[in-house]
């Protein structure tokens, strides 16, 4: 499905946000171009290339599909060895001509839970911070501790 076809069918609603964010464990991405995610969930659209973003960092964490699995194999050692996972926070500046879109629930059934937005255009990458995520695991309980470290602009 083409970008303009999806918009004309009423499947994507432009947001008025000026800035949106994306998190990745890869801190060396020079630019982003829309693509269909490699891990599309059941009932999620697999035809519209996009960059998945959030209006804030909390939304990005909530939408990150593999967040609960990032410590598999390591979680029992996190506290004693100080293991952590580092995410890089990318910021994208949107304009009325290049907005972030709210996907219709027919495209992303969990959109009201995740508040995920989609970018349908290419964007240059700008890292604005890092997230340091550690895990405390006690019994059946997993507690993630997230620290945001802002990157100073030169």
């Amino acid at each position: 499905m083409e970008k303009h076809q999806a918009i004309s069918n009423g499947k994507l609603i432009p947001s008025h946000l000026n800035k949106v964010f994306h998190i990745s464990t890869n801190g060396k991405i020079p630019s982003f171009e829309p693509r269909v995610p490699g891990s599309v969930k059941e009932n999620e659209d697999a035809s519209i290339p996009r960059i998945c973003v959030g209006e804030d960092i909390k939304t990005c964490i909530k939408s990150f599909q593999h967040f609960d699995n990032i410590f598999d194999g390591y979680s029992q050692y996190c506290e004693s060895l100080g293991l952590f996972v580092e995410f890089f926070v990318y910021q994208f500046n949107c304009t009325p001509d290049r907005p972030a879109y709210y996907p219709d629930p027919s495209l992303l059934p969990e959109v009201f839970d995740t508040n995920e937005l989609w970018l349908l255009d290419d964007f240059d990458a700008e890292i604005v911070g890092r997230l340091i995520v550690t895990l405390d695991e006690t019994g059946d309980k997993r507690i993630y501790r997230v620290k945001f470290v802002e990157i100073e602009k030169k």
Side-chain angles (χ1 to χ4, degrees), residues 75-142:
S75 61
Q76 62 184 330
Y77 305 110
C78 281
E79 192 63 34
S80 60
L81 297 179
L83 292 178
F84 64 91
V85 174
E86 178 180 51
F87 287 93
F88 295 89
V89 179
Y90 290 91
Q91 176 181 296
F92 303 102
N93 298 316
C94 299
T95 64
D97 293 336
R98 295 167 28 107
Y101 293 90
Y102 296 103
D104 185 87
S106 66
L107 300 172
L108 183 63
E110 60 190 24
V111 68
F112 295 120
D113 293 329
T114 64
N115 295 318
E116 181 178 310
L117 295 120
W118 294 352
L119 298 176
L120 304 182
D121 296 290
D122 293 358
F123 279 85
D124 290 334
E126 178 188 3
I127 296 177
V128 294
R130 298 177 307 137
L131 296 178
I132 308 300
V133 182
T134 56
L135 171 67
D136 292 334
E137 197 167 34
T138 310
D140 295 339
K141 205 176 201 184
R142 281 185 153 192

